[in-house]
Amino acid sequence: MHLMYFTEQPMSAWDPESTALDEVSIGNGRKQRVTALMHSNRYFSSKEASRLYNERLEEYEVVDSLGFDGIMLNEHHTAPFCMSPRVNMFASILARITKNVKIVLLGNPLPIWDNPVHLAEELSIIDMISGGRLVSGFVRGGGVENIQANANPVYNRERFEEAHDLVIKAWTQPGPFRWEGKHYQYRVVNPWATPLQQPHPRIWIPGVASKETVVWAAEHRYPYIGLNTNFDVSQKIKDLYTTTAQASGYEPGPENFGQLLQCHVAETEEKAERNAREFMWMAGEFTGLAHPVWGSPTGYGSASNRQSLIEIAAGRRAMVKPPAINVRRMERTFIWGTPDHVIDQLKTVLDNNRVGILGLWGNDGKIDHKDSLSCINLMGKEVLPAIRDYAKELGLKDPFEANAPLGINDAAPVLA
Amino acid sequence: MTSESISVCGGSVSLLRTGTGEPLLVLPRDNGQAPDTTFLDLLAQQFTVYAPSLPGFHGSNDSDWKWLMNLRDIAVVVGQMVGALGLSRTNILGLGFGGWVAAELATMSPAMVQRLMLVAPMGIQPKNSYICDQFVISTESYARTAFEDQAKFDAIYAAEPAFSQLDAWETDREMTSRLAWKPYMYNITLPRLLGGVTAPALIVWGDADRVVPVECAALYKAALPNATLETMPGVGHAVDLEFPAALAATINAFCKNNPA
């Protein structure tokens, strides 16, 4: 069982209740409050952010010392819910200041990279400095990420796939070679930086259940990590992944599946509940409040969702609201409480989802440094050992324990 | 008015044909042919009007055109469509985005152009402002931005446009994204290329245009060697839908003053 700690690194010095709020017109007189893309960075305080960045790094060092298997990092842009606009920055720092954890990037948004060769180089350096502790996840990037990077949403999936193929080739095939693709062209690909893990670091794919991405991950034999997906959705992901895997010639196990869920631990139920409400700080949205066409620009979403996306964009149909906190608790996509309570609930999650990778989103909103550290300590000292034992009973191995193949055509990686 | 399908470059494009007289190719905006054909009907009194859907936009078979990657691609397809119609020389009228297509086509095939008439075309980068970014607002908001008088929008598209219209605009937007995502709605070399278009040119612009700023009118006039500029006070982007009779009269007068 791979147990990893996660936080979105919120810019919590920004107060959603006290600042003037930006609104945009959705159409026909309707307004939408926004906290992403067009939400002005005049509300950003570099003084407060300087403190917050350093608090997060201190927390990650504690995570590393407590026996967590990994630290999961992500990246978002132009919004206060996430202070990490380039996942490789924190990964680079963690490569040096941590000693034990896997550095799990979930992930680099490939389509917004105009130079995937530079990405391959950066990731190689992170892998080398960390001593081969990099897990290199890739994502498509949300609509907002694509718009702010001026990456054409119509080509999002094409760029994702081509950039992936180019990164893998840059990692695995000696240069110099040429690359003449549809979206990327290079006279010379010859990076003098290659991964310590050979042929390359593991690749995990996170998502919220886009069918195309689940199928793509299964075809490549990359583990798929459901982001706050409930039992029903997780089962659908598992079914689709399994069918695709079988058609690709292998039988997936727990090492092919992961789950991120919100999980806050405190000394008392009362404190845990108080802090849990902080996760709802942005109306409970995971990726900020945005105009629907920013979240899902034309050409970005699945064709099967076209009608609902059109209706939502025109303000005819309400945007899908994130589940309320009590619904999350019932569905166990959000678990909070004392260590004993959290252990019980996580066991239920493992009974149902049978995943080999479990991400615990421990802190969010305005949960302060002290309470964040307290949560991390309780997780590391009390929750993790119990869950590790339980996962062993259930036979839930992660990709490392299972020595799982790296991909559809590769064996498990080894250090160079 | 008749509707037909034209095959070109391995794909199909639908075309409305109406009227008698000199040929006039009318290229629509980036949200496609409007349901109101008043303007085309007025033009049909003087011209044989050929009004195609742009390739990949609603009304064409959009799945045929996903390979198009830039504005010049679509201008080439339109040029080949003109050939397929048997026209070696024609008047070309472009509305907004269609005006940009017309301008690019004219730079490629100057001899094809009898007269070039552009109504608030995209294509040249404004110096002091920006072309309205449709990709961060809804398709309906964008369509409304073209109108100064929202009651006229409501009369043409309905206060709450039907889902079929929203769906059509979504198709249009996807194609626009393929062609003009970046740089958004201009071609940095176009002004120089327009120097080779010697046909009489008419530029019409509403000075209240909130889609393409009216400052671009002077830039087009400076780029085209034989251009006349008509500015319409208080008028927005969709001149043909808000003031069809005034625009048709302006076009007829221009053609009369610049005989073939």
Side-chain angles (χ1 to χ4, degrees), chain A residues 91-322:
Chain A
S92 303
I93 300 168
L94 294 187
R96 179 65 190 172
I97 69 169
T98 63
K99 299 297 170 214
N100 307 305
V101 285
K102 304 287 185 195
I103 300 164
V104 182
L105 313 186
L106 297 181
N108 266 290
L110 291 176
I112 75 172
W113 279 78
D114 283 332
N115 192 333
V117 179
H118 287 180
L119 173 60
E121 289 172 330
E122 288 183 17
L123 292 170
S124 295
I125 293 166
I126 293 165
D127 197 42
M128 287 184 282
I129 292 176
S130 68
R133 291 185 287 123
L134 175 66
V135 173
S136 174
F138 295 129
V139 296
R140 295 169 61 207
V144 166
E145 274 60 51
N146 283 269
I147 292 172
Q148 63 79 35
N150 218 0
N152 194 336
V154 168
Y155 297 125
N156 177 273
R157 200 164 285 282
E158 288 181 12
R159 284 171 66 95
F160 177 86
E161 294 186 8
E162 189 182 333
H164 164 270
D165 294 350
L166 175 51
V167 168
I168 298 293
K169 189 167 178 182
W171 277 344
T172 56
Q173 181 169 318
F177 62 84
R178 283 178 61 166
W179 184 272
E180 298 293 342
K182 180 173 177 187
H183 297 287
Y184 302 103
Q185 299 85 25
Y186 294 92
R187 290 192 157 69
V188 180
V189 180
N190 191 26
W192 270 72
T194 54
L196 186 66
Q197 298 179 77
Q198 294 285 321
H200 62 77
R202 290 187 181 278
I203 293 170
W204 297 354
I205 304 298
V208 291
S210 151
K211 284 185 190 120
E212 293 88 342
T213 305
V214 175
V215 167
W216 185 88
E219 285 171 349
H220 286 76
R221 205 168 182 168
Y222 296 152
Y224 186 91
I225 321 286
L227 301 177
N228 279 64
T229 46
N230 65 22
F231 291 140
D232 293 338
V233 174
S234 296
Q235 189 58 48
K236 280 182 189 146
I237 290 170
K238 193 168 261 189
D239 292 345
L240 179 58
Y241 190 106
T242 301
T243 310
T244 311
Q246 287 165 345
S248 304
Y250 69 97
E251 193 63 40
E255 71 275 13
N256 293 84
F257 299 101
Q259 175 82 46
L260 172 72
L261 45 83
Q262 296 176 320
C263 179
H264 183 75
V265 192
E267 299 83 350
T268 65
E269 291 293 333
E270 295 70 30
K271 183 180 165 190
E273 171 136 5
R274 198 168 57 243
N275 279 339
R277 301 210 170 271
E278 288 298 327
F279 283 71
M280 308 301 286
W281 76 312
M282 219 166 289
E285 285 284 353
F286 303 132
T287 54
L289 298 165
H291 190 298
V293 303
W294 307 347
S296 195
T298 297
Y300 171 87
S302 293
S304 55
N305 294 336
R306 180 181 167 110
Q307 180 169 349
S308 64
L309 291 174
I310 289 171
E311 288 175 353
I312 290 168
R316 303 286 171 79
R317 186 194 285 218
M319 289 171 80
V320 181
K321 281 209 168 69

Side-chain angles (χ1 to χ4, degrees), chain B residues 197-255:
Chain B
V197 179
T198 53
L202 170 68
I203 302 155
V204 180
W205 225 292
D207 73 0
D209 193 326
R210 290 182 291 140
V211 176
V212 189
V214 68
E215 63 164 300
C216 294
L219 301 175
Y220 259 101
K221 177 148 189 339
L224 283 159
N226 190 12
T228 306
L229 172 60
E230 293 274 350
T231 307
M232 297 186 155
V235 174
H237 186 64
V239 187
D240 56 303
L241 295 176
E242 290 205 70
F243 297 98
L247 181 58
T250 300
I251 285 166
N252 289 336
F254 169 74
C255 291

